[in-house]
Amino acid sequence: MARARTTSELPACYALVWPGLEQVASDEIEAEGGEVKKTSRGVVVFRTEAIDRDLLRLRTTEDVYLFAWGTDSLTFRAVDLESIERWTAKVDWQHLLRLHHAVRPRPTGKPTYRLVTQMEGKHGYLRRDAARALARGLAGVFPDSWKPAEENASIEVWLTIDQATAICGVRLSDHTMRHRTYKHEHQPASLRPTIAAAMVRLARARAGQVLVDPMCGAGTILAEQLALGRGVTVLGGDIERSAVRMTQSNLLRLGEPDILWWDARWLPLAPASVDHLVSNPPFGKQLSNPAAIGPLYRGMIRSYDRVLVPGGQAVLLVSDAESLQEAIKPVGWKAKKRTRVLVLGQMAQLSVWRKPRPTDSMEESDA
């Protein structure tokens, strides 16, 4: 049975997140004072003491919504359409709309609305059927003076269906949550900002430490660390001169870190001078010769190991986890975390590694 909000309580919220990053997003939400109630593939449901614009400051989430109703018990049959309509009709939409307006005031002019339905999995009905059921459940909610819009609507109601799970709510965020305003210049296959933010959070760099992205591309990882602040020294570079110029342009509003032209396989940095390496190396299909990925990873890891301090960390997003594992074996890094993430239409691995300290082997011997 669907769980709907009652008027006697502040509604829950939920965030849509990149599948594989649910735990990272949950950690950020809790760090900002929220209480995570439930997670499922690509969704984090949470409660917070206030519904305000602070929710829009989350960086690992794609979008944030006011919770209307949700269920884990879809039957995959056409009877689900009756349930979607019934659950939608039971919601106190006017209360949700008032809360939405407190966060995002109505624009001048005639209000507009948009209904969005997303669906994954094989069901006994089509996405457009679910969209019609949602619309029937919302009958009478929007005054006749409100007009439907295809984009930039005053109010958006979303229904997201993934296998047996469905969740419905009012979108609080807009496109800037997932796309950011600092990205003036883009390049093909540029890293998604929310994934970059997750990588930075996994690094956990502290004040006085040095964080380097040796393959900075458009500078998204560096931008996310600069936006997070914390007194961290940020440094980046790329083998492509155009990427260096692009990163410098994208970071103008966030700071002025050193962005250098270099080859990540031969970093011009002092040994043991970097606390955190956060890197998104090219995927196999981004290289003219995909077979070059193994040699690239081996050269990259040798260089990273030389500049990384003992006890330092590397956060890496790669397409070929097996090649990365083989490249890391000679340097002896220890895996702290691994998770699978869909990137550029293919599965990738996001992993956190720690370079051992000399004392680690001594402690192992003592044990």
Side-chain angles (χ1 to χ4, degrees), residues 107-309:
T108 56
K110 292 184 179 180
T112 56
Y113 67 92
R114 180 184 180 213
L115 309 185
V116 180
T117 302
Q118 300 174 319
M119 193 164 77
E120 294 286 341
K122 293 183 178 180
H123 297 76
Y125 46 90
L126 302 175
R127 182 173 63 88
R128 65 170 177 263
D129 299 323
R132 289 167 182 163
L134 174 67
R136 289 194 298 270
L138 286 164
V141 170
F142 301 110
D144 292 340
S145 59
W146 288 40
K147 301 300 180 184
E150 291 299 322
E151 57 184 19
N152 300 322
S154 309
I155 295 289
E156 292 187 1
V157 176
W158 284 51
L159 170 62
T160 302
I161 298 172
D162 189 350
Q163 304 300 334
T165 297
I167 194 163
C168 179
V170 178
R171 187 188 189 196
L172 285 175
S173 53
D174 62 18
H175 70 282
T176 59
M177 171 166 273
R178 62 177 72 182
H179 294 303
R180 312 294 201 246
T181 57
Y182 61 74
K183 295 197 76 170
H184 305 294
E185 299 192 45
H186 301 262
Q187 68 176 15
S190 181
L191 184 62
R192 200 170 186 88
T194 50
I195 298 178
M199 295 174 71
V200 164
R201 290 194 68 85
L202 287 170
R204 301 181 184 276
R206 304 188 304 274
Q209 293 187 327
V210 176
L211 181 144
V212 175
D213 179 359
M215 299 181 178
C216 65
T220 312
I221 289 172
L222 302 176
E224 291 302 318
Q225 180 60 62
L226 289 170
L228 193 61
R230 299 184 176 176
V232 176
T233 297
V234 175
L235 177 65
D238 202 281
I239 196 170
E240 298 290 341
R241 291 185 183 273
S242 60
V244 171
R245 180 193 56 76
M246 189 180 305
T247 295
Q248 291 170 335
S249 174
N250 284 337
L251 300 186
L252 280 177
R253 296 184 183 179
L254 297 173
E256 296 183 0
D258 289 331
I259 309 299
L260 306 176
W261 175 51
W262 63 29
D263 188 327
R265 294 168 294 182
W266 293 278
L267 291 172
L269 302 174
S273 61
V274 176
D275 300 285
H276 300 274
L277 287 158
V278 184
S279 182
N280 173 36
F283 283 21
K285 64 182 182 181
Q286 294 172 264
L287 300 174
S288 57
N289 177 16
I293 200 165
L296 172 64
Y297 285 4
R298 289 193 292 273
M300 173 188 83
I301 293 300
R302 283 195 300 268
S303 181
Y304 289 9
D305 185 63
R306 184 183 67 83
V307 302
L308 197 61
V309 301

Side-chain angles (χ1 to χ4, degrees), residues 21 29 35-36 63 76 106 128 140 173 200 235 272 300 317 320-321 363:
L21 300 182
I29 289 167
E35 180 185 3
V36 173
D63 277 300
F76 297 86
R106 291 187 189 183
R128 65 170 177 263
S173 53
V200 164
L235 177 65
M300 173 188 83
L317 179 65
D320 188 337
E363 291 171 357

